[in-house]
Amino acid sequence: MTTLARPALRPLAVADAGRVLELTRATGVFRDEEIAVADEVLAAALAARVSASSITEELPYYILGAELDHQLVGWICWGRTPCTQDTWDLYWLAVDPAAQGHGVGTALIEGMEQELAGARLVTINTSGRDDYEPTRRFYQSRGYPAVAVVADYYAPGDDLVIHVKRLGR
Ligand SMILES: CC(C)(COP(=O)(O)OP(=O)(O)OC[C@H]1O[C@@H](n2cnc3c(N)ncnc32)[C@H](O)[C@@H]1OP(=O)(O)O)[C@@H](O)C(=O)NCCC(=O)NCCS
């Protein structure tokens, strides 16, 4: 993608679900069962927003999409971590490979942080696999250092790496 356009954030709608899953799959880092979970989480997030009784009602998942040149190229999903005091989890972040390196991932993280103004901690669980190395660097340079590793968590040789950022509070 040879564009210099700035990413534009927008809410996601039911009609976006197919494209969101397509771009998530296209990243090539998620296994089929992870894509199935992304599908479930996305459906739950969309349904929760539709059935919310007010805009201030707290939802299990929050989602945002990002466009470059009017094309949906990325999405992010986060939610409150149960049984914590104002700790939040970044559950999903994916940018279409054709649009990576143009600031979309950064814009999505910033969009989430803006929505979480006043929150305390954001944690991200990611993989220690070699193909996630650019992802881990991305989180590190956006202020989310890796603070813990659980060896062989996802599978033998596939560690859990936990990244954390302290927000304003
Ligand atoms: C990680 C990811 C969300 C970053 O999105 P992005 O839109 O490429 O990120 P930006 O353009 O805002 O920032 C680029 C930065 O990320 C790094 N980066 C990571 N993957 C990259 C890629 N494939 N192409 C270019 N830059 C990449 C660059 O080093 C750059 O860092 P710098 O600005 O400090 O030099 C995206 O690469 C992606 O979807 N990866 C696969 C899915 C994934 O790993 N999701 C997270 C699961 S926990």
Side-chain angles (χ1 to χ4, degrees):
M1 190 172 284
T2 55
T3 176
L4 293 177
R6 285 170 57 80
L9 301 185
R10 68 159 171 86
L12 289 170
V14 172
D16 296 315
R19 171 69 187 131
V20 166
L21 289 177
E22 176 185 65
L23 72 88
T24 304
R25 196 175 286 112
T27 63
V29 296
F30 300 113
R31 295 187 300 270
D32 286 348
E33 63 261 36
E34 293 176 290
I35 298 292
V37 173
D39 190 6
E40 281 172 27
V41 166
L42 180 62
L46 291 165
R49 217 187 38 207
V50 168
S51 62
S53 54
S54 81
I55 55 165
T56 55
E57 182 179 319
E58 185 153 321
L59 306 178
Y61 302 111
Y62 295 85
I63 47 178
L64 264 182
E67 292 188 348
L68 263 189
D69 286 342
H70 309 290
Q71 282 181 53
L72 186 60
V73 293
W75 74 298
I76 190 168
C77 173
W78 71 94
R80 186 187 285 279
T81 313
C83 307
T84 65
Q85 283 187 1
D86 218 6
T87 295
W88 295 72
D89 233 303
L90 193 171
Y91 293 121
W92 288 92
L93 175 62
V95 175
D96 187 324
Q100 289 177 7
H102 292 270
V104 175
T106 302
L108 284 165
I109 291 243
E110 288 173 355
M112 173 193 74
E113 289 178 359
Q114 219 166 328
E115 301 272 328
L116 286 180
R120 201 169 56 84
L121 277 188
V122 179
T123 65
I124 308 170
N125 287 2
T126 191
S127 163
R129 283 188 344 233
D130 287 350
D131 55 343
Y132 274 88
E133 203 275 328
T135 299
R136 294 192 299 275
R137 243 186 309 122
F138 169 82
Y139 288 136
Q140 170 82 37
S141 65
R142 266 69 200 161
Y144 294 77
V147 296
V149 174
V150 183
D152 300 326
Y153 179 85
Y154 292 109
D158 188 352
D159 301 347
L160 163 66
V161 182
I162 303 173
H163 294 251
V164 175
K165 183 172 189 174
R166 282 183 183 275
L167 299 182
R169 268 183 55 192

